[in-house]
Amino acid sequence: AQSVTQLGSHVSVSEGALVLLRCNYSSSVPPYLFWYVQYPNQGLQLLLKYTSAATLVKGINGFEAEFKKSETSFHLTKPSAHMSDAAEYFCAVTKGAGTALIFGKGTTLSVSS
Amino acid sequence: DTAVSQTPKYLVTQMGNDKSIKCEQNLGHDTMYWYKQDSKKFLKIMFSYNNKELIINETVPNRFSPKSPDKAHLNLHINSLELGDSAVYFCASSIETEAFFGQGTRLTVV
């Protein structure tokens, strides 16, 4: 069975600081991995996805993530946090096309000035 | 043009009532889903439809019944609503591995 674990339910950073949100996956097949962002009272927006084309994946809003098979990790980073990055972030995994996403429990990112 | 749209956005109803949430996608995707987000923001798949055929039916009470009249629509009907059904329900559609989500329907059962 597939699963993802997000370490840290709440991460706080200062504006301009590095953002690091952690995600580890468990999968018996090559996984497809995703990071989604949810702003208050809104739906989920795709930040980036890993589909085996490249281990370093660049997404929207300056975010990127690196797939590390040896560590079964897919951590999300951004070099410099902005106030507008404050939101809920979800790591997710799926087996392939047409299959449902399995989500982690989410990480709340707070950004202070 | 909204890609995945759900109605209503907010729904407040009394215990025991029956309610429906509608979802439409204009992306031409074959696969649609319903997810439930609980009060702790945990997201879990409820149902998955591919071209109007039910693919996934997770352990969801029988009071929940999805209906797909065509591949662009996936509605969710809930009978005999209970307090524990209060949550945000998200509709989504997918092409290949990428899913697109609606804005969610916040259901509050009082």
Side-chain angles (χ1 to χ4, degrees):
Chain A
Q2 293 184 309
S3 66
V4 288
T5 302
Q6 291 184 241
L7 300 174
S9 59
H10 198 160
V11 171
S12 297
V13 300
S14 300
E15 196 171 19
L18 171 72
V19 175
L20 171 60
L21 304 182
R22 299 176 189 273
C23 174
N24 287 89
Y25 70 91
S26 172
S27 178
S28 57
V29 297
Y32 296 90
L33 292 159
F34 306 81
W35 276 99
Y36 281 86
V37 61
Q38 184 180 26
Y39 298 103
N41 298 316
Q42 293 191 26
L44 286 88
Q45 181 181 9
L46 180 67
L47 276 177
L48 49 80
K49 62 181 179 182
Y50 168 75
T51 56
S52 77
T55 56
L56 183 62
V57 183
K58 293 188 184 298
I60 61 171
N61 301 340
F63 284 93
E64 63 181 38
E66 186 172 8
F67 174 74
K68 290 187 177 180
K69 187 176 179 180
S70 60
E71 299 177 8
T72 61
S73 69
F74 190 57
H75 301 331
L76 182 71
T77 59
K78 182 174 181 177
S80 177
H82 192 272
M83 297 292 285
S84 60
D85 294 327
E88 192 77 19
Y89 290 80
F90 293 93
C91 182
V93 64
T94 186
K95 285 188 288 189
T99 61
L101 291 163
I102 308 298
F103 285 91
K105 292 188 176 182
T107 298
T108 303
L109 175 65
S110 300
V111 183
S112 58
S113 57
Chain B
D1 242 1
T2 304
V4 182
S5 60
Q6 298 178 227
T7 53
K9 186 167 184 176
Y10 299 97
L11 184 52
V12 181
T13 187
Q14 291 188 324
M15 278 195 308
N17 283 351
D18 301 339
K19 289 294 178 185
S20 291
I21 305 172
K22 295 186 176 182
C23 177
E24 176 182 5
Q25 56 99 359
N26 62 6
L27 299 167
H29 295 167
D30 286 336
T31 309
M32 296 185 71
Y33 312 83
W34 279 107
Y35 289 85
K36 179 181 180 180
Q37 186 173 44
D38 64 22
S39 58
K40 295 184 179 178
K41 298 191 177 179
F42 184 56
L43 282 150
K44 188 173 180 182
I45 182 69
M46 299 175 69
F47 301 103
S48 168
Y49 266 76
N50 185 271
N51 208 4
K52 301 198 303 175
E53 182 181 344
L54 180 65
I55 303 298
I56 295 174
N57 181 356
E58 292 293 320
T59 41
V60 174
N62 290 339
R63 299 181 294 102
F64 289 79
S65 55
K67 292 283 192 303
S68 182
D70 56 61
K71 78 172 196 177
H73 295 84
L74 181 61
N75 303 323
L76 183 65
H77 189 75
I78 315 170
N79 290 327
S80 304
L81 278 154
E82 300 177 357
L83 292 176
D85 297 332
S86 295
V88 181
Y89 293 85
F90 285 101
C91 177
S93 69
S94 72
I95 180 80
E96 294 297 325
T97 56
E98 186 168 338
F100 296 79
F101 285 79
Q103 292 296 293
T105 296
R106 183 174 295 276
L107 172 64
T108 303
V109 183
V110 297

